[in-house]
Amino acid sequence: MTAKFNPNLVGMDRQELEQLALRHGQPVYRGRQIYTALYARGARRLDEITELPRSFREALAERHLLTYPQVKGRIASRDGSVRYLLELQDGAAIETVFMPERHRATLCLSSQVGCAVNCRFCFTALLGLERNLTAGEIVGQALGVIAHERLRQEFRLNVVLMGMGEPLLNLAQVMKAVRLLADPEGTGIPLRRITVSTAGIAPKILEFGRQPVRPKLAISLNASTDEQRTALMPINRKYPLRQLLAACRAYPLRPRERLTFEYVMMEGVNDSDDDAARVGELLAGLRAKVNLIPYNGGPGLAYRPPSLSRVLAFQQILTRRNIPAFIRISRGQDIMAACGQLSLARAGQEAERDSGATFPGRASLAESQ
């Protein structure tokens, strides 16, 4: 039987918090004070919101929660990336990755517990899908890591929804989370520094394009033919390349905006010169760029990354066709935190073997879920 919890304040937008204040007999500006405390200041407890009357804080505490995903494990890569294991209120677990650089950082957030898309080269697919995340659980990942890493508000932060799950299959909650993260009066991360990635849910791409507040979009291509893509990404049976590219061509790009196509390169699978030429044909006339990502391997899946010379040759073919192509070497590979590597079942094993970090092992994860 599913446990019942009081509603969480984290994930409520300004209007919802204003209505909440009115229901408690408080003036509407009290809701705005809660909003600022949560999303601009990162308040962790109700008693930290001292601008609220004590009686109001006590009434809120009786009927509502102020809670974030709990850090249950943290393991650092040699390149500085950090893989977080987070436990949700119902005991489910997700992963978030923090990738710092000198003056900025990138947060890779999850949008679902597991994933239903079942890409054959992705470790998250091995988990299957448990459920969608709420907007509060998505925003809570960001706010929790910001607090844990002690990032100052002026720190330049990029957010990518490229972690566990298919964001466009949880579009309403993802977009609510994006609005909270992007609001200048809230967390204040500019939309140009937020990216949502999809495996290619064609109808949802068009719906995403109609959103009034919209971040950037990245599309996982990973193949040059339908046969090849279906073998790697079964979702291609439902939304084949022709339908996917039609949605991309109908996508309402803003001035100076490009679609990003992610292309995970696997040795002997999708990395030939012919593949590059076909990708060039598929994307001809689109305002787009391509990120070439050598495959991030691990135990249990047989794919391998191509040589650097093969990646460079692929890049040159696209460049000659006037398609900007960039080589992206994923960070966090040594801790299974790179693109496509997130897998809760391996989190504890990797942490225990490599660094003695505080990830729970497989048994305790199973118990928590």
Side-chain angles (χ1 to χ4, degrees):
M1 185 173 179
T2 304
K4 299 295 184 183
F5 301 102
N6 286 337
N8 191 4
L9 296 174
V10 179
M12 292 186 180
D13 60 25
R14 184 186 291 104
Q15 184 177 8
E16 289 171 325
L17 291 169
E18 289 173 348
Q19 291 299 313
L20 176 64
L22 291 174
R23 289 197 299 272
H24 280 268
Q26 298 290 322
V28 71
Y29 73 84
R30 295 296 187 195
R32 293 194 291 272
Q33 289 177 323
I34 300 172
Y35 184 88
T36 299
L38 293 178
Y39 303 116
R41 294 210 315 264
R44 310 290 291 179
R45 302 186 311 275
L46 279 167
D47 60 17
E48 293 177 11
I49 313 177
T50 54
E51 58 267 50
L52 299 180
R54 178 179 295 180
S55 60
F56 185 27
R57 296 200 305 267
E58 292 173 349
L60 286 175
E62 291 177 0
R63 303 181 189 179
H64 293 83
L65 300 171
L66 198 171
T67 186
Y68 296 83
Q70 297 297 304
V71 175
K72 304 300 288 186
R74 180 185 185 278
I75 179 170
S77 166
R78 290 187 296 268
D79 64 22
S81 301
V82 180
R83 180 184 180 193
Y84 280 90
L85 179 69
L86 303 176
E87 186 177 78
L88 306 177
Q89 192 175 4
D90 63 357
I94 55 173
E95 291 179 328
T96 299
V97 181
F98 174 68
M99 294 167 280
E101 298 178 55
R102 186 173 180 182
H103 297 298
R104 62 181 182 178
T106 298
L107 270 176
C108 182
L109 306 180
S110 294
S111 56
Q112 296 178 308
V113 180
C115 186
V117 177
N118 197 28
C119 298
R120 303 303 191 199
F121 55 89
C122 179
F123 286 91
T124 309
L126 302 176
L127 302 173
L129 176 67
E130 185 171 333
R131 66 172 176 85
N132 286 332
L133 296 184
T134 66
E137 289 167 335
I138 297 169
V139 172
Q141 293 171 67
L143 296 178
V145 173
I146 287 169
H148 206 274
E149 298 291 337
R150 296 183 172 85
L151 300 183
R152 298 183 303 275
Q153 191 169 17
E154 64 271 17
F155 193 83
R156 181 183 173 91
L157 190 63
N158 301 306
V159 169
V160 294
L161 280 106
M162 298 182 180
M164 303 174 71
E166 165 53 61
L168 296 195
L169 292 180
N170 187 19
L171 185 57
Q173 294 300 308
V174 164
M175 293 310 301
K176 185 178 183 183
V178 165
R179 291 190 294 271
L180 294 171
L181 291 171
D183 186 355
E185 297 182 14
T187 309
I189 301 170
L191 280 172
R192 67 180 182 279
R193 299 212 301 263
I194 303 176
T195 300
V196 169
S197 179
T198 178
I201 316 298
K204 292 292 185 178
I205 289 174
L206 296 174
E207 184 179 345
F208 182 84
R210 293 190 292 267
Q211 298 294 315
V213 176
R214 171 165 60 81
K216 296 187 292 185
L217 180 64
I219 299 139
S220 294
L221 185 60
N222 303 329
S224 65
T225 68
D226 275 318
E227 180 181 12
Q228 192 182 72
R229 194 167 190 268
T230 299
L232 293 171
M233 305 176 69
I235 194 69
N236 194 70
R237 294 192 186 97
K238 189 170 185 178
Y239 307 114
L241 283 170
R242 181 177 178 181
Q243 187 175 352
L244 173 60
L245 271 296
C248 292
R249 293 184 189 283
Y251 191 80
L253 288 169
R254 296 165 291 209
R256 296 185 296 278
E257 184 180 17
R258 291 179 182 268
L259 286 173
T260 297
F261 287 89
E262 310 283 358
Y263 195 94
V264 177
M265 296 185 65
M266 289 160 267
E267 182 183 49
V269 176
N270 64 351
D271 65 341
S272 70
D273 287 355
D274 288 342
D275 285 313
R278 286 192 292 264
V279 169
E281 292 170 3
L282 288 172
L283 303 186
L286 269 173
R287 208 159 77 218
K289 66 176 182 178
V290 178
N291 286 336
L292 301 174
I293 306 169
Y295 178 68
N296 302 305
L301 296 179
Y303 301 104
R304 297 179 180 275
S307 66
L308 180 57
S309 61
R310 181 91 298 274
V311 179
L312 288 169
F314 201 104
Q315 180 189 39
Q316 289 170 1
I317 291 170
L318 291 177
T319 301
R320 287 198 296 268
R321 292 173 176 264
N322 297 315
I323 297 173
F326 305 90
I327 299 171
R328 303 297 192 204
I329 304 300
S330 299
R331 298 179 60 186
Q333 295 182 48
D334 58 317
I335 57 167
M336 293 292 287
C339 178
Q341 287 187 318
L342 298 184
S343 174
L344 297 170
R346 289 176 172 80
Q349 298 168 353
E350 294 299 316
E352 290 166 1
R353 187 177 71 240
D354 294 339
S355 70
T358 58
F359 276 85
R362 183 190 301 265
S364 58
L365 265 175
E367 289 165 6
S368 73
Q369 294 176 337

